[in-house]
Each structure stands twice: as structure tokens, then as C-alpha cells.
Amino acid sequence: MSATSDAVRKMFKEGDDIRDAGLDTPPDVVRVDDLRYASDDPCQLLDVYRPRERDGEVFPVIVSVHGGGWVYGDKERYQWYCMSLAQRGFAVVNFTYRLAPEHTFPASMTDTYSAFAWVLEHADEYLLDKDRVFAVGDSAGARMLSMYAIACTDATYAGKLGIRTPQGFVPSAVALNCGAYRITIPEHKTGDMMLDLTANLMQDLLPEGGTAAVCALISPIDHLNERFPPAFVMTADGDFLAPDALPLVRALMDLNVEVNFHYYQSNERELGHVFHCNMRLTEAHTCNDDECAFFHSHLS
């Protein structure tokens, strides 16, 4: 493992520990934990969260693809955010995928496919509406979700990624939060902390360290098509990936894909990257209300 990936894991964990300290399962959510969606690795587990007062009802689904720079994160870190979505009238599937550098590309994409396939295969058992499946992803997870949505609408692209998609399935709509949509690796150190950080993480994610061809393949903005699902795209003040949002929005608009763009700000604080996962922030609840309202508008 590179020193960068090790440092990212420690830094992100420290911040998440502070953010999530003292949180507990909301009383209005019922949860089923640690369901296996694949058999290759012990980490390939998912949770399902549902509104308690309507238990026994078939719910539309949100699948969450977590972020973490491709080297960090799991369903435990996203459980509070995902349960907040369940409180808004959805069954939420929160899964852990295999991380780099222990598992290089396309392992995380294969796991994303497997998690969606599990939803469709187990819909009756867990009262999931397989005709109304939505998805959220943030940071690296937004890039992965974008790639998966493209693969669902473009068999050639899916083949290049080395993944399969359920026949005829496309998410009803997606929410892309604080994402990275174009991947480039500079040939030399740039002095830009985030560019150099991304370059170092790519060395751990990509088997050959990130050739130009591979970077182009995993840059979803270069592979969009008019069949891409309706998209809610958001970023915020202080999000270091904010410059990626508008080019994606413009590209979707050029394809006549429905896109709903939000830029969140606060008079009290800088919101920063993936602020919507912080259940203590009023702005996070506003953002999550907006995203779920967007999904509700696509239920029919």
C-alpha cells in the first residue's frame, strides 16, 4: 500500500469518527444487517433499511455507492446517512465493496454490479420494488455510480469495463454527490495537493498505475449517452471536487438528459466535501430532502 492510501484511510477515519460519534439507529427505521451479496470476499456484505411504521409494505429502493477515494469506506460509515434516506420513504441498500490497493480495478465495479443484481434477485424476499430502483453515490462512489449507469445503457462500455449489467435494467434516477467525473493523472508532481493526491491513489487503484487509456475509460463524462437516467447532481462550497460538477451537468444537458443541479452554501460554515453525510448539519438534511423529492418525482 502506498503511503498516500494509508494516510487517507487514517485521516478519513479520524474525521468520520468525530462526525458520527454518539449516533444510533433511529427508532423509526428497521434494519437487516450483513447480508452477503457475493461470495468472493468477507467484505461483500450489505444492509437493508426500511421505515418501521410501514413495515410489510413494498418500497421503492435506493442503492448507496459509498465514497472514500477508492481506498477507504464501508457500509458502517454510511449507515447513518442511508438510514436518514429510509426515513424519507425508501428501502435503502447500503453495501461494502472491495477496496484498493488490496483489490484493484475493476473489483469495486464488479461489486457494484453484484449489489444491484442482489436487489433484483431478492426483491420479493425483502419487499423491494425492483421496478423503482434509485441510486446515490458520492465522491469516488459518484464516479462509480455514473460508470454503472452508463454501462446499463451501453453494452459496449460495460464490456470494456469487464462487468455485466442486469438485462433491461437502468436505475430510475441517480443522485451524484460531490463526484469526480474526469480522471487525469499528471506526468509530474503539480504542486496541487488534490491533483497529486488523486494521482497517488490511482497508482493503488489501477493495475498499471493509470495509463491514459484506462483513465479515459473510467472518466464517465467521456462516455455519457442520451439514455443516461435522470440525474440529481450536487456540490457545495468548500468541496474540492466542485469544478467537476458543472461540466457533467452541461454534458448531460447537451444530451437532453434530465438533470437537476444544486450548489449548497451556508452563512454559518463552509460545508465542504460530502457534507450531506453529516447528520448533525441542517444543510445535510436539506440536501437529502431535495434528493429524495427528486426520486419521489420519478416514482410513477
Side-chain angles (χ1 to χ4, degrees):
M1 182 189 304
S2 73
T4 299
S5 292
D6 185 55
V8 164
R9 287 182 177 180
K10 291 176 180 177
M11 177 177 64
F12 285 9
K13 180 181 184 303
E14 181 178 319
D16 287 351
D17 285 346
I18 295 170
R19 181 193 69 192
D20 298 337
L23 296 179
D24 203 353
T25 299
D28 57 349
V29 172
V30 61
R31 58 188 296 168
V32 182
D33 295 343
D34 296 331
L35 299 170
R36 179 159 295 283
Y37 68 86
S39 60
D40 294 338
D41 189 278
C43 81
Q44 293 170 315
L45 300 172
L46 59 78
D47 300 343
V48 179
Y49 315 127
R50 301 166 49 87
R52 181 178 295 276
E53 71 275 11
R54 295 161 61 189
D55 198 26
E57 182 178 335
V58 175
F59 279 99
V61 186
I62 298 175
V63 179
S64 172
V65 186
H66 72 75
W70 307 284
V71 301
Y72 170 82
D74 54 34
K75 64 185 179 65
E76 278 64 43
R77 288 301 178 186
Y78 276 71
Q79 60 182 312
W80 318 116
Y81 162 63
C82 287
M83 284 189 285
S84 79
L85 301 181
Q87 290 176 304
R88 292 166 166 85
F90 295 88
V92 181
V93 174
N94 172 26
F95 74 100
T96 297
Y97 55 80
R98 291 170 293 171
L99 299 174
E102 293 85 357
H103 303 279
T104 56
F105 177 81
S108 57
M109 288 302 305
T110 300
D111 290 353
T112 300
Y113 154 75
S114 297
F116 277 94
W118 184 95
V119 169
L120 299 179
E121 291 166 5
H122 294 83
D124 293 341
E125 183 179 358
Y126 292 96
L127 300 177
L128 310 175
D129 188 343
K130 62 184 177 182
D131 294 321
R132 299 188 294 178
V133 179
F134 303 91
V136 296
D138 65 80
S139 197
R143 179 188 64 83
M144 292 167 56
L145 175 56
S146 301
M147 292 167 62
Y148 179 76
I150 296 167
C152 287
T153 63
D154 183 344
T156 300
Y157 183 67
K160 290 178 180 178
L161 292 177
I163 66 170
R164 296 173 298 155
T165 57
Q167 186 173 4
F169 171 76
V170 179
S172 298
V174 297
L176 306 174
N177 302 315
C178 303
Y181 308 112
R182 175 169 282 122
I183 304 300
T184 57
I185 299 180
E187 295 181 3
H188 308 287
K189 293 292 183 180
T190 66
D192 183 303
M193 181 180 70
M194 297 317 305
L195 280 177
D196 292 340
L197 172 65
T198 299
N200 288 338
L201 292 175
M202 288 296 99
Q203 297 295 320
D204 279 353
L205 174 67
L206 302 174
E208 298 178 4
T211 64
V214 172
C215 287
L217 178 65
I218 66 172
S219 295
I221 196 170
D222 297 325
H223 302 278
L224 298 169
N225 63 65
E226 66 278 1
R227 298 177 300 281
F228 194 87
F232 182 105
V233 179
M234 80 84 172
T235 185
D237 63 329
D239 174 19
F240 65 88
L241 289 176
D244 271 34
L246 277 179
L248 178 74
V249 170
R250 294 189 186 103
L252 291 171
M253 291 175 63
D254 288 343
L255 291 165
N256 203 31
V257 172
E258 179 184 352
V259 58
N260 192 320
F261 175 60
H262 287 250
Y263 181 86
Y264 291 93
Q265 294 176 287
S266 171
N267 294 326
E268 300 176 3
R269 63 182 71 85
E270 184 178 79
L271 294 178
H273 189 58
V274 300
F275 74 95
H276 65 298
C277 292
N278 187 342
M279 294 297 96
R280 293 183 171 87
L281 293 180
T282 300
E283 295 85 359
H285 291 280
T286 298
C287 174
N288 298 336
D289 282 342
D290 292 342
E291 292 195 355
C292 288
F294 181 74
F295 290 160
H296 277 293
S297 74
H298 288 276
L299 286 178
S300 58

